[in-house]
């Protein structure tokens, strides 16, 4: 069977045509011989120029137009699939009206309005104090509370959803969203055991920010925990969208327990699958709904692969002044770093904390470079230091999972463009995590996971 998976990322949109195999089933539930018949990635190009540096919004109409055109191309080139699966960037929200039309921009997971301090405290801090648990800026309900508090919710808005839910609505003609539990949970204030929003906590959080609890609860979308078909596009069943974290886990690691997925893309994540007793939520880690009433334990960094991109931008700007050309420096950077790593003195490197954009627990945190000496202040060692800093930040999150009672992973799978394009980063990851780190079998893990999820909804496996 074939399915198409569409992944709406922060900076790009990807689509794959995925075909299941006919060989023996692995422990993950997938069959050997499964393959990607076709894939395409296009730039998102939907960013809206911010009026303030803390705003991170995108145009949902641009995203839907590009995603639908990509979907049409995949169908026309590879034939009609059995189903269409959707995934994409989590946490963010777009408001819709009673007719199912977007009446706001997409407030992305990077939007920081929830961290703005008024009278010494931010919306997120006041919500967390009332809730008694962390409430992160960028999470949809923190964004919604801020917008209610400041009169920014459009008058015609009746609910909100993720951007991939909105794409599903536009593809199928739905006038109201049906949101999977793992997307709903990404908005925050989610009751894992009850598989529903914690409405009492939301009312407290709203009151803590001087907002009516009724204004919060009336906007909550309809939620499902199942593999639901939400409608059809060109006569093809479309499955309810799932989060890119969950889809990436399915695409890279199947649904196996005791497997650690280490993803480095724009951000960074470590994830493990298991039951609701997997380790619990803390300031550093989060328990998220997965599939089949199971959970993912997740730790996320805000910077992740962007830290390496920031360093490349630094070297690129210097190179441009010398050569007059704006050329990528990634190949040179990896060569310099590998040469230092293979050199005996290459272990004398600075220590870099790569929280350049803050952390989930502390948005105001910033990165640092320490331990610089006359001998180690060299480009190759600085590059090594940034790579080790990126992975060490993820290792700290995995260690927190273990401290909270999660069982140790027996294998690691690495995914994301940061890992796929940088062999040295994979080697560093295996060393820091002290376990083999196999590259995921598919390049577009999230899109593949969405396709697999769609097939499961159709075959009920």
């Amino acid at each position: 069977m074939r399915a198409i998976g569409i992944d709406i990322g922060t900076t790009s949109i990807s689509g794959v045509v995925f075909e299941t195999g006919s060989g023996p089933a692995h422990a993950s539930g997938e069959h050997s011989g499964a393959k990607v018949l076709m894939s395409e990635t296009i730039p998102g190009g939907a960013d809206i120029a911010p009026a303030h540096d803390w705003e991170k919004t995108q145009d949902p109409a641009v995203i839907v137009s590009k995603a639908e055109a990509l979907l049409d191309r995949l169908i026309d080139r590879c034939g009609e699939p059995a189903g269409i699966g959707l995934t994409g960037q989590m946490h963010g929200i777009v408001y819709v009206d009673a007719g199912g039309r977007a009446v706001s921009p997409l407030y992305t997971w990077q939007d920081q309005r929830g961290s703005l301090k008024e009278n010494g405290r931010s919306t997120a801090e006041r919500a967390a104090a009332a809730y008694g648990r962390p409430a992160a800026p960028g999470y949809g309900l923190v964004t919604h509370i801020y917008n209610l508090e400041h009169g920014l919710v459009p008058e015609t808005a009746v609910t909100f959803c993720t951007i991939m839910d909105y794409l599903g609505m536009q593809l199928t003609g739905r006038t109201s969203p049906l949101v999977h539990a793992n997307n709903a949970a990404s908005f925050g204030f989610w009751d894992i055991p009850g598989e529903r929003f914690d409405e009492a906590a939301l009312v407290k959080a709203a009151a803590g920010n001087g907002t009516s609890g009724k204004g919060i609860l009336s906007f909550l979308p309809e939620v499902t925990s199942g593999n639901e078909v939400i409608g059809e596009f060109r006569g093809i069943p479309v499955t309810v969208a799932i989060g890119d974290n969950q889809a990436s886990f399915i695409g890279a690691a199947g649904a196996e327990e005791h497997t650690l997925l280490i993803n480095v893309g724009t951000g960074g994540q470590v994830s493990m699958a298991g039951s609701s007793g997997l380790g619990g939520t803390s300031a550093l880690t989060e328990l998220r709904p997965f599939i089949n009433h199971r959970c993912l334990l997740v730790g996320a960094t805000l910077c992740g692969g962007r830290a390496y991109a920031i360093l490349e931008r630094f070297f690129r700007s210097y190179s441009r002044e010398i050569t007059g050309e704006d050329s990528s420096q990634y190949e040179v950077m990896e060569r310099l770093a590998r040469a230092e790593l293979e050199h005996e003195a290459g272990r004398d490197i600075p220590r870099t904390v790569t929280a350049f954009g803050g952390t989930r627990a502390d948005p105001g945190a910033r990165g640092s470079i320490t331990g610089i000496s006359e001998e180690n202040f060299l480009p190759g060692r600085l590059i090594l230091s940034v790579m080790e800093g990126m992975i060490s930040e993820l290792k700290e999150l995995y260690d927190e999972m273990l401290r909270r009672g999660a069982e140790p992973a027996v294998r690691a799978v690495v995914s994301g463009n940061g890992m796929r394009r940088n062999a040295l980063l994979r080697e560093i990851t295996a060393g820091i995590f002290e376990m083999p780190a196999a590259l995921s079998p598919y390049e577009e893990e999230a899109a593949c996971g969405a396709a697999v999820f769609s097939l499961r909804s159709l075959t009920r496996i």
Side-chain angles (χ1 to χ4, degrees), residues 20 52 55 93 119 150 176 197 207 307 314 316 377 397 421 451:
T20 58
H52 308 281
E55 285 184 327
I93 57 171
N119 299 318
H150 293 83
S176 62
F197 288 108
F314 170 82
R316 184 190 291 245
F377 192 44
L397 297 175
R421 296 172 181 172

Side-chain angles (χ1 to χ4, degrees), residues 194 270 345 406 448 451:
V270 287
C448 287

Side-chain angles (χ1 to χ4, degrees), residues 355-424:
F356 299 147
T359 67
R360 292 283 186 200
D362 182 6
R366 291 295 178 264
S368 63
I369 304 173
T370 59
I372 298 172
S373 69
E374 183 177 350
E375 291 75 22
N376 70 19
F377 192 44
L378 298 167
R381 299 192 196 184
L382 177 61
I383 296 163
L384 269 180
S385 176
V386 169
M387 284 196 281
E388 291 196 355
M390 291 160 50
I391 303 306
S392 294
E393 192 175 5
L394 293 171
K395 177 61 162 53
E396 290 173 8
L397 297 175
Y398 174 60
D399 290 341
E400 170 71 2
M401 294 176 179
L402 299 182
R403 284 193 295 270
R404 296 186 65 82
E407 293 186 17
V410 298
R411 73 179 185 118
V413 176
V414 297
S415 65
N417 288 334
M419 288 291 190
R420 192 168 295 278
R421 296 172 181 172
N422 193 325
L424 181 55

Side-chain angles (χ1 to χ4, degrees), residues 155-223:
E155 290 184 4
T156 56
V158 297
T159 188
F160 55 76
C161 58
T162 69
I163 186 60
M164 48 278 197
D165 294 313
Y166 183 64
L167 173 60
M169 293 171 64
Q170 297 306 295
L171 293 177
T172 62
R174 289 182 65 99
T175 57
S176 62
L178 179 63
V179 179
H180 194 274
N182 54 52
N183 278 334
S186 79
F187 300 145
F189 300 91
W190 184 257
D191 175 10
I192 290 276
E195 296 187 336
R196 60 181 176 80
F197 288 108
D198 188 338
E199 294 186 359
L202 268 173
V203 171
K204 290 179 182 178
N209 282 279
T211 301
S212 164
K214 182 179 179 181
I216 290 285
L217 301 183
S218 65
F219 274 84
L220 296 178
E222 182 183 358
V223 178

Side-chain angles (χ1 to χ4, degrees), residues 315-327:
F315 286 117
R316 184 190 291 245
S317 65
Y318 182 75
S319 173
R320 185 170 55 242
E321 289 300 315
I322 296 173
T323 66
E325 298 180 1
D326 188 23
S327 57

